[in-house]
Amino acid sequence: MPDATELTEEVLRAYAGTPDPRLRELVTALIRHLHAFAAETGLTHEEWLAGLDFLTAVGHTCDDQRQEFVLLSDVLGLSAQVDHVNAAAGATEPTVLGPFYRPGAPRREAGAHIGRPGDGAATLIRGRVTGTSAEPIAGASLDVWQCAANGLYDTQDPEQPAFNLRGIFSTGADGGYEFRTVRPVSYPIPVDGPVGALLRAAGRHNWRASHVHAIVSAPGYQAVTTHIFDAANEYLRSDAVFGVRDSLVQEFRPASPGDPADVSFVVDADFVLAPAMPRT
Ligand SMILES: [Fe+2]
């Protein structure tokens, strides 16, 4: 029987002929890190099996509405690390997609409210989308979503209609956009599944810093998946999924007489997109 190092080399050789070079790089790096993990920790059979049982339970917790694997990636900071690795220079910083994104939100007119009056304190969010050379981007798309004042997304709350607090907006000729929503609140990430068990075992809380999600995209530019965080929130320094970036924190200022009369708060949030990567 080969020793541990020889075994790792033997396994790596077995995958060295993977035709796709990127897949070869990913699989062999994964093997090296998994083997090193087992060696470093002295992983027992019981622990190895418990790990497999845990991942199986994560899979069984997933359905059409719930993505426990995304949640696991989030609480381990892997999602945030992937965001760091892929951040484009000079562009708005990305942060976690999270488990509550739903494609297919309705397109709405500029300024429209994405929710209902009872969903929370009316808030106007507006700004411009530009490129890294400050050029305005007309026709950029902002796919936004968030929870209601009860801390629940539409997918978690039978009282909310489908696609409540979700919408897609386009920028005008000057790159400007605006929409109405409600001031987001902190919400606990779900802890009734295996990810919750992990957080309890680690003694971690499960609260997210309050935020509005946005995916901003435009032809010829790299899309960015990001958040607008509320500067007054208490969880900015201990976000359960490590998603906060200082550059994404915005003031929700109380509306003044010069602002639209139907909103209580106003947020100015600009987005910057990097040019699309050239095709290789
Ligand atoms: Fe969220």
Side-chain angles (χ1 to χ4, degrees), residues 97-100 145-147 153 187 208-209 211-213 227:
L97 175 68
F100 300 117
W145 70 102
Q146 68 165 83
C147 66
Y153 287 79
Y187 61 84
R208 289 234 49 209
H211 58 273
V212 178
H213 292 265
H227 287 9

